[in-house]
Amino acid sequence: MEIWQKLLQASITRPSEVTRRFGIDPRPLEAVAERYPMRINPYYLGLIRSVGDPIWRQAIPSEEELHDAVCPVDPLNEENQSPVPNLVHRYPDRALFLVCSECAMYCRFCTRKRKVGGENMVIDQKSIDGGLDYIRSHPEIRDVILSGGDPLLLSDDRLDAILKGLRAIPTVEIIRIGSRVPVVLPQRITPALVRMLRRYHPLYLNTHFNHPDEVTETAAKACARLADVGIPLGNQSVLLRGVNDDPEVMKALMQKLLTIRVKPYYIYQADMVQGTNHFRTSVEEGLAVIQSLRGHTSGMAVPAYVIDAPGGGGKIPLLPEYLQNLGSDVVLKNYRGDLYHYDNSAAPPEEKRSVAANDHY
Ligand SMILES: *Cc1c(COP(=O)(O)O)cnc(C)c1O
Ligand code: SF4
């Protein structure tokens, strides 16, 4: 057995095991773990420094999960946008393909909390084949995002077979993997895994760091292995109360990610998912995060801040009000709050301008 498999096997799945270690009463948490699975492997558990810290909040069940009277079960309407089981086709040219129901850790704030790690998420050869058939018969899909659960919890051979199946479809241009494994079980990124993955370029991987304490040497090594075989790495964070709802923490995280060759891609406003209401922040706080980044640090460190629209409308970007007036006089506010004017009235008519633009190239 490989190290990552041993770590996974040694995961804590009962609150009593973890609360004993930290000296708190496990009883209130047992009911939570009945409803939503818990799994914390020894690597991620070892990142906890104290009860209630940002790592703890992401991994350890909380009573609040059972007292959420606000949020619906499937706010993004994924189930209704699934033409075949385990595939979400929301946008014209790309599809989200759920290929594994398991994760290396069950994040308490998960958007697919309704099903990951549970019995009602059935992924088998039939649903994989059904997804591949759907993608094959919809040539408009040029971008496939493998998700779950976590695709990197599949064995190398299973994942290899899925990637091979996708690459046999000529209309699939790019493949992306969405995985939290580089964060929660970086030991999974083995030389054998990356040797397999590199055969399926153009292949992208978006991971999911939420706090600077997750950027360990082990995680950095995992990301280096992926980057060294030419896989561009992006990061999708979720803005979470008590984890990273502080512009300084987010800035430190974004800057740290660049040092391990991970490009911040999205910061999500927390979805309205049942059992996660205690993690939500206001949208104003998200805008403040972007404001604290843009101009103040590398543009490379500034992701798009998005809300995944409740009801399934897709990701909608939000920006602080840099554009103060749009008209013949465009009024702009810079990162320091100073106002600037751009003369929008003297631009050449559209037709000539496009010719000029062509000349330029
Ligand atoms: C996020 C998402 C995508 C990918 O969106 P991008 O903005 O292209 O990264 C595709 N399909 C679904 C259902 C999604 O939720
Ligand atoms: S790794 Fe992703 S899918 Fe799995 S529990 Fe965490 S957020 Fe949910």
Side-chain angles (χ1 to χ4, degrees):
M1 221 194 282
E2 297 195 60
I3 294 171
W4 69 271
Q5 289 166 319
K6 284 187 193 147
L7 283 167
L8 206 55
Q9 209 168 52
S11 292
I12 285 175
T13 57
R14 306 295 322 165
S16 56
E17 301 169 61
V18 67
T19 53
R20 210 181 302 125
R21 203 172 138 137
F22 291 94
I24 64 163
D25 181 4
R27 277 168 302 181
L29 303 187
E30 299 287 357
V32 185
E34 286 294 319
R35 168 118 174 240
Y36 301 115
M38 104 176 243
R39 174 186 265 178
I40 314 162
N41 67 64
Y43 166 77
Y44 198 78
L45 186 71
L47 301 185
I48 294 175
R49 298 180 196 200
S50 60
V51 172
D53 77 7
I55 304 295
W56 172 285
R57 281 180 65 81
Q58 294 184 70
I60 310 287
S62 152
E63 263 187 291
E64 292 166 294
E65 294 174 44
L66 298 181
H67 305 300
D68 176 355
V70 177
C71 299
V73 174
D74 177 22
L76 305 182
N77 202 21
E78 290 190 324
E79 302 300 341
N80 290 323
Q81 293 177 338
S82 285
V84 295
N86 300 317
L87 185 141
V88 186
H89 193 185
R90 173 177 297 150
Y91 294 106
D93 70 341
R94 51 214 192 276
L96 190 72
F97 190 11
L98 311 184
V99 296
C100 182
S101 61
E102 265 189 273
C103 300
M105 168 178 91
Y106 292 114
C107 311
R108 307 323 299 173
F109 53 84
C110 179
T111 289
R112 297 199 189 101
K113 206 175 168 86
R114 67 183 184 280
K115 61 180 184 181
V116 293
E119 288 144 17
N120 54 354
M121 191 173 192
V122 182
I123 295 176
D124 51 18
Q125 194 54 46
K126 196 167 151 240
S127 80
I128 300 280
D129 289 341
L132 289 170
D133 286 343
Y134 182 86
I135 294 163
R136 198 177 299 113
S137 59
H138 288 78
E140 70 274 20
I141 298 174
R142 39 162 291 286
D143 175 2
V144 175
I145 300 139
L146 298 183
S147 181
D150 200 313
L152 294 188
L153 273 216
L154 296 172
S155 69
D156 291 6
D157 287 347
R158 295 279 306 128
L159 187 56
D160 193 355
I162 293 169
L163 291 168
K164 195 176 286 166
L166 283 172
R167 273 289 166 242
I169 304 172
T171 43
V172 173
E173 293 174 7
I174 66 169
I175 301 172
R176 302 191 238 176
I177 294 176
S179 172
R180 226 189 156 201
V181 150
V183 185
V184 295
L185 189 61
Q187 296 81 356
R188 168 69 184 103
I189 312 298
T190 58
L193 176 71
V194 300
R195 266 199 308 275
M196 183 273 283
L197 293 176
R198 71 184 305 172
R199 305 205 318 266
Y200 296 103
H201 278 310
L203 179 72
Y204 292 74
L205 189 144
N206 281 328
T207 187
H208 181 169
F209 287 91
N210 285 326
H211 191 276
D213 286 356
E214 294 173 333
V215 188
T216 64
E217 269 177 42
T218 316
K221 191 172 156 200
C223 291
R225 277 191 180 153
L226 292 161
D228 284 348
V229 297
I231 300 173
L233 301 174
N235 188 68
Q236 316 194 158
S237 296
V238 186
L239 184 56
L240 298 167
R241 170 77 67 225
V243 175
N244 56 21
D245 56 336
D246 172 343
E248 286 309 310
V249 170
M250 272 296 194
K251 191 197 281 183
L253 173 61
M254 301 297 123
Q255 290 171 339
K256 252 183 143 171
L257 288 174
L258 290 181
T259 68
I260 62 166
R261 290 187 278 170
V262 176
K263 163 80 183 84
Y265 177 46
Y266 282 140
I267 290 177
Y268 289 95
Q269 178 67 15
D271 289 326
M272 295 189 65
V273 171
Q274 192 164 100
T276 69
N277 195 47
H278 56 293
F279 280 114
R280 295 201 301 137
T281 68
S282 69
V283 171
E284 286 86 341
E285 288 169 88
L287 291 171
V289 166
I290 297 302
Q291 212 155 13
S292 78
L293 294 170
R294 175 60 67 193
H296 297 279
T297 188
S298 320
M300 289 285 291
V302 188
Y305 168 50
V306 296
I307 298 191
D308 217 336
K315 299 171 185 68
I316 300 174
L318 297 177
L319 267 186
E321 285 302 320
Y322 296 114
L323 186 58
Q324 303 271 297
N325 180 61
L326 184 60
S328 57
D329 178 27
V330 174
V331 183
L332 303 158
K333 191 158 85 179
N334 82 347
Y335 72 101
R336 286 206 173 92
D338 304 326
L339 293 183
Y340 294 86
H341 295 264
Y342 180 86
D343 181 358
N344 203 26
S345 64
E350 222 161 286
E351 210 179 39
K352 279 189 196 158
R353 197 175 54 200
S354 68
V355 171
N358 288 341
D359 281 353
H360 197 73
Y361 295 100

